[in-house]
């Protein structure tokens, strides 16, 4: 009887840890690599959603005329976003025929469903902090207008932008990307967690446990190799951001 009870307890404990990371997949710039869709397109967002991932990540820039648009690089097929108007950006298209999505259109599409979170990376504006903070303010206003607060989590490399988002919406989940703040600093500044390059956790081997102890989320980017995915899953991180969500989904199936 004693062994039976102990067995149940152990089973219960292992099930609860397994469920903590049942779906840790964040598709980096949508699902584009294996689907051959353009990164950060609405098509790649929908592909990620149809894969059932926890989150789909995308990158946001501010145009010269203060429109938030979705793209990774500072330029959209050669047109510099920070110094171009939105109209000027429409001169180019993604190979699948899409124009550069506005953040508003992109979020409206993502908010048609409730399963996959929208992981909103606010890019640092190359024209300076003032523009980055304006982009942060406009982002919080847009998410509020679309009633997307529960579905959207923010990430950013600029710590002032992270703090600005928390200041404007204390309930916003904001994860810092650069990797140079300790778990204690993130907690003090009311961040939801760390989203650091996986090498940062190797250089600071106590941080994952410290983040977990402080009840902060642990995310790692951009993890495309199976061995590193397994290493992070073993450390029970909350999320893994990857260009290869399909591979991570396969590994999780095997683990079950
Ligand atoms: Mg990004």
């Amino acid at each position: 009887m004693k062994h039976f009870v102990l067995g149940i307890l152990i089973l219960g404990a292992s099930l609860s840890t397994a469920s903590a990371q049942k779906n840790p997949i964040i598709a980096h710039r949508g699902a584009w690599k294996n689907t051959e869709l353009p990164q950060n397109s609405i098509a790649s967002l929908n592909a990620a959603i149809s894969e059932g991932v926890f989150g789909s990540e995308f990158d946001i820039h501010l145009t010269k005329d203060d429109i938030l648009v979705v793209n990774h690089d500072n330029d959209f097929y050669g047109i510099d976003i920070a110094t171009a108007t939105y109209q000027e950006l429409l001169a180019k298209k993604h190979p699948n025929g899409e124009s550069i999505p506005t953040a508003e259109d992109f979020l409206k599409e993502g908010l048609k469903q409730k399963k996959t979170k929208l992981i909103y990376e606010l890019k640092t504006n190359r024209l300076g902090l003032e523009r980055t903070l304006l982009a942060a303010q406009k982002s919080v206003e847009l998410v509020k207008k679309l009633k997307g607060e529960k579905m959207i989590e923010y990430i950013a490399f600029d710590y002032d932008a992270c703090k600005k988002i928390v200041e404007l919406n204390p309930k916003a989940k904001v994860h810092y990307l650069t990797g140079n703040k300790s778990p204690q600093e993130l907690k003090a500044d009311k961040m939801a967690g760390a989203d650091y390059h996986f090498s940062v956790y190797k250089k600071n081997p106590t941080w994952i446990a410290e983040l977990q102890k402080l009840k902060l989320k642990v995310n790692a980017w951009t993890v495309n190799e199976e061995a590193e995915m397994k290493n992070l899953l073993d450390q029970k991180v909350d999320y893994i951001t990857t260009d290869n969500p399909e591979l991570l989904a396969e590994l999780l199936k095997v683990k079950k």
Side-chain angles (χ1 to χ4, degrees), residues 82-176:
T83 55
T85 63
Y86 173 65
Q87 277 302 320
E88 284 165 347
L89 290 166
L90 297 179
K92 298 281 182 179
K93 282 188 191 289
H94 278 306
N96 71 340
E98 279 183 47
S99 297
I100 188 168
T102 61
E104 179 157 358
D105 286 347
F106 196 90
L107 293 182
K108 277 182 180 163
E109 185 70 19
L111 289 170
K112 287 179 183 168
Q113 53 83 52
K114 288 201 158 50
K115 187 167 180 203
T116 295
K117 296 259 196 239
L118 307 172
I119 310 298
Y120 188 114
E121 181 178 347
L122 182 71
K123 284 288 180 195
T124 305
N125 194 295
R126 66 175 192 80
L127 301 181
L129 182 60
E130 200 181 314
R131 296 293 290 165
T132 304
L133 294 181
L134 178 64
Q137 184 196 323
K138 288 194 155 286
S139 297
V140 172
E141 286 167 3
L142 175 64
V143 169
K144 189 176 178 195
K145 183 180 109 176
L146 299 179
K147 297 186 173 47
E149 281 108 331
K150 286 198 177 133
M151 287 300 295
I152 288 150
E153 301 196 12
Y154 298 91
I155 57 177
F157 281 97
D158 187 301
Y159 203 57
D160 289 323
C162 288
K163 290 199 284 190
K164 182 82 184 170
I165 295 167
V166 173
E167 178 196 316
L168 293 170
N169 178 10
K171 284 189 182 160
K173 288 184 179 164
V174 183
H175 312 254
Y176 179 53

Side-chain angles (χ1 to χ4, degrees), residues 20-76:
Q21 52 169 340
K22 207 163 92 193
N23 187 0
I25 308 170
I26 295 181
H28 183 232
R29 309 179 198 168
W32 54 272
K33 197 172 192 145
N34 300 320
T35 58
E36 297 184 2
L37 293 165
Q39 299 177 1
N40 277 316
S41 61
I42 285 180
S44 71
L45 167 68
N46 281 329
I49 289 169
S50 69
E51 288 180 18
V53 293
F54 168 82
S56 188
E57 188 262 3
F58 50 94
D59 305 286
I60 297 288
H61 292 262
L62 188 66
T63 65
K64 180 185 172 185
D65 54 343
D66 298 346
I67 306 291
L68 296 165
V69 293
V70 187
N71 195 57
H72 179 265
D73 294 347
N74 283 333
D75 71 280
F76 185 66

